[in-house]
């Protein structure tokens, strides 16, 4: 189903957010070894409730992220634009921050060039906004 597909996209985005420190779009062997991904997967083998493993796979975290995106995406085309993002968190983002997000420093692909943010890019934005101390978040805001 489409909902399951969004969950998969969220998990992949969260993995790349944490593991792919080079921002290359590809996870190197050294990045994989330095990350907690493999130990998290091992933990999943013993855990019955996936929501107890919050690192990458939590369905509850996915649901919160997806609902926030769906709420902002007024036309439900799975892209948000500057106006949509401006409504995030009761208009908490300044125009300058929104322009920074859409300038191409932290977003990639054709959607960004068209002034839109994909769902995957929104996951990175939300993760960066929620935990500004994470190394990827610091790069996200100051890259």
């Amino acid at each position: 189903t489409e909902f399951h597909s969004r969950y998969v996209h969220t998990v992949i985005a969260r993995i790349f957010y944490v593991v792919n420190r080079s921002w290359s779009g590809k996870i190197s062997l050294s990045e994989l070894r330095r990350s907690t991904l493999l130990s998290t997967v091992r933990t999943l083998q013993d855990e019955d409730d996936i929501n107890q493993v919050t690192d990458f796979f939590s369905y509850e975290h996915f649901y919160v992220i997806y609902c926030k995106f769906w709420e902002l995406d007024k036309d439900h085309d799975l892209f948000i634009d500057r106006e949509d993002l401006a409504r995030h968190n009761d208009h908490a983002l300044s125009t300058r921050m929104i322009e920074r997000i859409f300038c191409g420093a932290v977003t990639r692909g054709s959607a960004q060039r068209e002034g839109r943010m994909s769902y995957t890019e929104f996951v990175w934005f939300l993760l960066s906004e929620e935990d500004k101390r994470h190394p990827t978040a610091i790069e996200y805001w100051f890259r």
Side-chain angles (χ1 to χ4, degrees), residues 68 71-72 84-93 129-130:
K68 286 183 181 199
E71 199 174 280
L72 294 175
D84 292 333
L85 190 58
R87 290 193 312 277
H88 172 69
N89 210 10
D90 292 326
H91 300 273
L93 299 175
E129 202 229 358
E130 293 295 321

Side-chain angles (χ1 to χ4, degrees), residues 69 73 75-85 101-104 107-119 121-122:
F69 181 83
D73 183 20
D75 60 3
H76 302 302
D77 64 351
L78 297 177
F79 291 96
I80 57 176
D81 59 20
R82 287 170 175 84
E83 291 175 13
D84 292 333
L85 190 58
I101 292 164
F102 280 94
C103 78
T107 54
R108 302 179 185 134
S110 60
Q112 175 271 321
R113 287 189 293 275
E114 297 168 8
R116 302 182 313 160
M117 177 187 284
S118 70
Y119 174 70
E121 292 165 337
F122 179 77

Side-chain angles (χ1 to χ4, degrees), residues 30-108:
S30 62
E31 287 174 327
L32 182 62
R33 286 181 178 149
R34 283 191 302 257
S35 76
T36 62
L37 179 59
L38 296 177
S39 63
T40 301
V41 171
R42 274 192 297 277
T43 303
L44 284 174
Q45 292 175 340
D46 301 326
E47 182 58 55
D48 292 332
D49 184 3
I50 199 165
N51 291 308
Q52 298 302 313
V53 182
T54 60
D55 287 353
F56 306 104
F57 302 98
S58 169
Y59 195 82
E60 291 171 356
H61 287 183
F62 150 72
Y63 190 77
V64 169
I65 293 167
Y66 189 70
C67 286
K68 286 183 181 199
F69 181 83
W70 192 253
E71 199 174 280
L72 294 175
D73 183 20
K74 288 295 184 195
D75 60 3
H76 302 302
D77 64 351
L78 297 177
F79 291 96
I80 57 176
D81 59 20
R82 287 170 175 84
E83 291 175 13
D84 292 333
L85 190 58
R87 290 193 312 277
H88 172 69
N89 210 10
D90 292 326
H91 300 273
L93 299 175
S94 69
T95 304
R96 177 168 259 178
M97 286 179 75
I98 292 170
E99 289 305 316
R100 166 83 175 126
I101 292 164
F102 280 94
C103 78
V106 296
T107 54
R108 302 179 185 134

